[in-house]
Amino acid sequence: MIQPRKSYSLKLSWRLFLASSALLALTFVFCVFPLKNYDIFWHIKAGDLIRATRTLPTHDIFSFTTPNLKWELNSWGSDLIFSTVYRYFGRESGIIVFKALIMTLAYGLILLTLKKQNRRSIMLLPGFWLFSLMVGKESYLARPQIFSYLFLALFYFLLDYYRRATAKADFRLLLFFPLIMGVWSNLHPGFAVGYLFLFVFLITESIKYGLRNVIYDKWGIERLLTGSKLLWLWLVFPLVILATAANPFGVKTLLAPLRLFLPGAQTNWILEWSAPGIIDEPVFFAAFFLFSAIFLVSFFRLDLSDLGMIVLVSVMSLEARRCISDYAIIILPLSYRYLDIVIWKLKGKKANTANRFFMLGGSSQPLLATAFTLGVIIGLIYFGGGLKTRMNPDRYPQYAADFIINNNIRGNLFNTYRWGGYLIHRLYPRVKVFVDGRLLSRRVFKDYVDVARVSPDGRRILDLYGVNIVLTSYWYETGQRYYLNDDLQRSPDWVRVFDDNKSLVFLRNIPEFKLLIDKYAPYYRRQLRMRSPHRIPTG
């Protein structure tokens, strides 16, 4: 018979508190880096419009290529938050710090789940912690997805707390799940991961309960949910699903994640949704093999619910590199939980060596872990040149946007895909973009590719859409040359009026732009002959 558990305490000794504080400080420092993504800027602009109009956009307002296309802004809550942080708390610096705080809070929830776990290998926890941060860093960007990381960590913490705390169902705790899902569905479509996470937990716990007399000493029977707790959790699950309808789009929100997997959806043609390669993501695969080895060694002691979560996040991350960050967050507590079994088996073979290493200092282990973590933090700050809370201007066409604004240029703009979000932020409503990270239309994206790659239909597409401004980059992010620039330079229909060795602006050779062309074009014609373009004043 399963014995009632003692109450689950979250108190920490002062040594563990120091070690925990150092790990959270490491998370914050690690997540403070210059803005890398471009879409955050259209999220900010959307939040600005929501605050100004007090309504949500119902159709595409940022692009002239799809003006009547229906647009459901499922991340409207995140956009409102980012807009507020940007306007009142330090612009780009505020966004960077806010993102780091959200990620620190997410890892803080994971840290709370580790309190009652493995104490014999505390010295190894900073290494596992740092490894997890390295695996997920490329996705820990300032964008609405950070709220999905936070709520995923919260779901894991609450489920772990629910199955460990008491033998009776805590109804107050159960009410948190629909409440969280209601908030989550207004911040990011990643709430679907919460469905999967809770469903896998319920299925595996039900299997454990049904086989409790058959496999009493295997697969986590020491953490078996009682019948009443399991029943109440199943009853709450439909409420969790229905809670996603508590948003401006109602029950349509339930279908939003499913649209990602329909024919023609973003998941079929965007790199972020493609499967990771071992050459492209070496840190992830190193972590994957290491953590898999830990689970294999501990296989016959694995809790079945933990095994279900491991399989879920592993499949997600192997299917789409976008999900690697979910893997990094959830696999940290799961792998560390079973590290104790690996150490125990290692001690059985080399007892003296293992005792000296893993049991060094006994209660001093948290202090040693703290010292190591602080050393890593100091190294990151010193060798990284300090905390970088400013935007990297080399990644964005800042001066090209200034040129368009200062010269009051208006019209339809053909732009590079990656800069679309930033240009929406800087130029809307004066200028609307051709394409951006929202990718609302696959047809438009195909037309963009045809123009960018100088296909035979490229010029016809520009004419068809009525494009009279082109803002391009010298290079793709892959390092490949942007050949459209050479094509426009040879064309009598287009004139280069701005060039700062990073971005270029071309205007269509029409009477509307005659004054600007006469003012700036001669300078660049001379520079072209000299083969040495330089930036000029932005107007």
Side-chain angles (χ1 to χ4, degrees):
M1 180 178 178
I2 305 301
Q3 297 296 325
R5 300 170 186 78
K6 298 180 180 179
S7 111
Y8 187 85
S9 172
L10 296 176
K11 295 181 180 179
L12 294 173
S13 69
W14 69 270
R15 293 182 180 87
L16 289 176
F17 178 78
L18 282 178
S20 301
S21 300
L23 289 173
L24 294 180
L26 173 61
T27 305
F28 179 82
V29 171
F30 203 88
C31 291
V32 173
F33 51 82
L35 293 177
K36 290 184 176 181
N37 60 318
Y38 305 94
D39 289 346
I40 180 60
F41 291 101
W42 75 253
H43 285 292
I44 294 172
K45 177 59 73 172
D48 291 345
L49 293 176
I50 294 172
R51 288 194 299 112
T53 63
R54 298 183 182 275
T55 58
L56 299 183
T58 58
H59 61 280
D60 183 15
I61 57 176
F62 295 140
S63 172
F64 67 90
T65 51
T66 53
N68 299 318
L69 189 64
K70 189 176 180 180
W71 180 32
E72 291 183 4
L73 186 57
N74 298 110
S75 62
W76 71 271
S78 299
D79 297 351
L80 202 55
I81 293 172
F82 283 130
S83 172
T84 303
V85 171
Y86 183 85
R87 297 301 171 189
Y88 300 109
F89 297 97
R91 298 176 69 85
E92 290 86 2
S93 298
I95 293 292
I96 293 170
V97 172
F98 176 74
K99 178 260 300 183
L101 288 174
I102 292 294
M103 294 309 307
T104 302
L105 182 57
Y107 271 87
L109 291 169
I110 294 300
L111 188 61
L112 287 177
T113 66
L114 299 177
K115 180 190 176 293
K116 287 292 184 180
Q117 295 181 21
N118 189 352
R119 293 290 184 88
R120 286 190 286 184
S121 53
I122 291 178
M123 286 193 302
L124 296 181
L125 179 56
F128 272 64
W129 197 274
L130 183 60
F131 207 8
S132 173
L133 290 172
M134 292 172 62
V135 171
K137 182 179 179 180
E138 292 302 316
S139 295
Y140 294 160
L141 306 175
R143 55 182 180 177
Q145 196 174 357
I146 61 173
F147 295 104
S148 285
Y149 303 149
L150 174 62
F151 288 122
L152 179 61
L154 183 56
F155 253 52
Y156 180 82
F157 167 73
L158 291 176
L159 288 173
D160 188 73
Y161 185 87
Y162 184 72
R163 70 175 174 177
R164 291 170 178 268
T166 60
K168 296 182 179 180
D170 189 338
F171 301 106
R172 294 171 299 177
L173 182 62
L174 289 173
L175 292 177
F176 272 105
F177 291 101
L179 180 62
I180 292 169
M181 189 58 71
V183 176
W184 194 349
S185 64
N186 286 279
L187 296 174
H188 187 251
F191 65 83
V193 178
Y195 291 162
L196 293 174
F197 210 71
L198 184 56
F199 182 71
V200 168
F201 181 83
L202 281 168
I203 291 295
T204 51
E205 286 294 331
S206 298
I207 294 174
K208 283 164 55 178
Y209 187 80
L211 300 177
R212 62 190 181 280
N213 296 324
V214 178
I215 52 171
Y216 185 83
D217 58 341
K218 294 182 181 180
W219 281 306
I221 204 68
E222 72 278 3
R223 292 191 293 273
L224 177 70
L225 284 181
T226 61
S228 62
K229 291 181 71 174
L230 185 59
L231 175 61
W232 279 108
L233 195 57
W234 270 112
L235 293 175
V236 166
F237 184 61
L239 297 179
V240 172
I241 297 177
L242 292 176
T244 56
N247 64 77
F249 304 104
V251 294
K252 293 181 180 179
T253 305
L254 294 170
L255 303 176
L258 298 179
R259 296 193 192 106
L260 296 174
F261 303 99
L262 294 175
Q266 295 182 15
T267 52
N268 300 320
W269 44 288
I270 297 301
L271 179 63
E272 193 178 26
W273 286 101
S274 64
I278 194 169
I279 297 178
D280 301 328
E281 302 287 349
V283 179
F284 162 67
F285 279 98
F288 182 82
F289 292 134
L290 172 64
F291 296 147
S292 297
I294 292 174
F295 297 136
L296 285 174
V297 172
S298 313
F299 182 77
F300 290 104
R301 297 291 300 276
L302 274 177
D303 182 283
L304 189 60
S305 296
D306 291 343
L307 179 61
M309 296 178 190
I310 292 166
V311 172
L312 175 61
V313 295
S314 297
V315 170
M316 287 170 53
S317 60
L318 291 173
E319 285 293 323
R321 61 187 72 203
R322 182 185 179 94
C323 298
I324 287 178
S325 46
D326 299 305
Y327 175 88
I329 291 174
I330 297 303
I331 213 69
L332 171 62
L334 291 174
S335 60
Y336 185 71
R337 174 178 295 170
Y338 294 100
L339 183 62
D340 197 38
I341 298 174
V342 176
I343 293 174
W344 178 77
K345 290 190 175 184
L346 179 63
K347 287 178 62 179
K349 295 181 179 180
K350 298 182 179 181
N352 293 333
T353 302
N355 274 322
R356 284 198 299 268
F357 183 74
F358 294 113
M359 301 299 290
L360 178 64
S363 61
S364 299
Q365 282 201 57
L367 298 180
L368 295 172
T370 302
F372 173 81
T373 306
L374 291 177
V376 174
I377 293 173
I378 293 172
L380 287 174
I381 295 176
Y382 180 78
F383 293 105
L387 295 179
K388 298 179 180 179
T389 59
R390 295 184 179 181
M391 182 181 74
N392 183 1
D394 292 335
R395 292 184 62 86
Y396 305 95
Q398 178 179 346
Y399 299 114
D402 290 341
F403 177 84
I404 293 175
I405 293 171
N406 294 339
N407 288 283
N408 197 28
I409 300 175
R410 298 174 182 270
N412 292 338
L413 171 72
F414 179 87
N415 57 282
T416 59
Y417 159 71
R418 61 191 175 108
W419 284 345
Y422 178 80
L423 295 173
I424 287 173
H425 173 67
R426 292 294 310 278
L427 303 179
Y428 181 84
R430 173 187 287 105
V431 173
K432 293 188 177 183
V433 299
F434 189 98
V435 68
D436 61 89
R438 296 172 300 153
L439 293 175
L440 300 180
S441 170
R442 185 170 187 174
R443 174 185 57 81
V444 171
F445 187 74
K446 180 181 181 300
D447 290 340
Y448 162 76
V449 172
D450 287 341
V451 174
R453 292 181 176 176
V454 197
S455 72
D457 291 333
R459 301 248 185 114
R460 182 187 60 82
I461 292 172
L462 292 178
D463 295 338
L464 180 64
Y465 284 105
V467 173
N468 51 17
I469 313 166
V470 174
L471 194 159
T472 65
S473 170
Y474 263 95
W475 313 95
Y476 289 101
E477 286 193 321
T478 57
Q480 185 181 4
R481 183 175 175 81
Y482 212 87
Y483 292 108
L484 177 61
N485 300 329
D486 298 330
D487 184 62
L488 294 178
Q489 189 68 50
R490 292 190 296 265
S491 172
D493 297 329
W494 294 92
V495 181
R496 181 175 58 159
V497 294
F498 179 85
D499 184 343
D500 64 354
N501 283 338
K502 176 180 61 180
S503 56
L504 303 93
V505 176
F506 293 88
L507 295 179
R508 189 180 286 273
N509 195 0
I510 56 178
E512 179 184 352
F513 297 132
K514 185 177 186 305
L515 292 178
L516 289 174
I517 291 173
D518 291 343
K519 181 178 180 180
Y520 294 108
Y523 175 85
Y524 287 111
R525 290 194 185 101
R526 290 195 301 269
Q527 295 301 328
L528 183 63
R529 288 194 295 269
M530 297 168 60
R531 304 292 182 183
S532 178
H534 299 282
R535 188 175 75 239
I536 65 172
T538 57

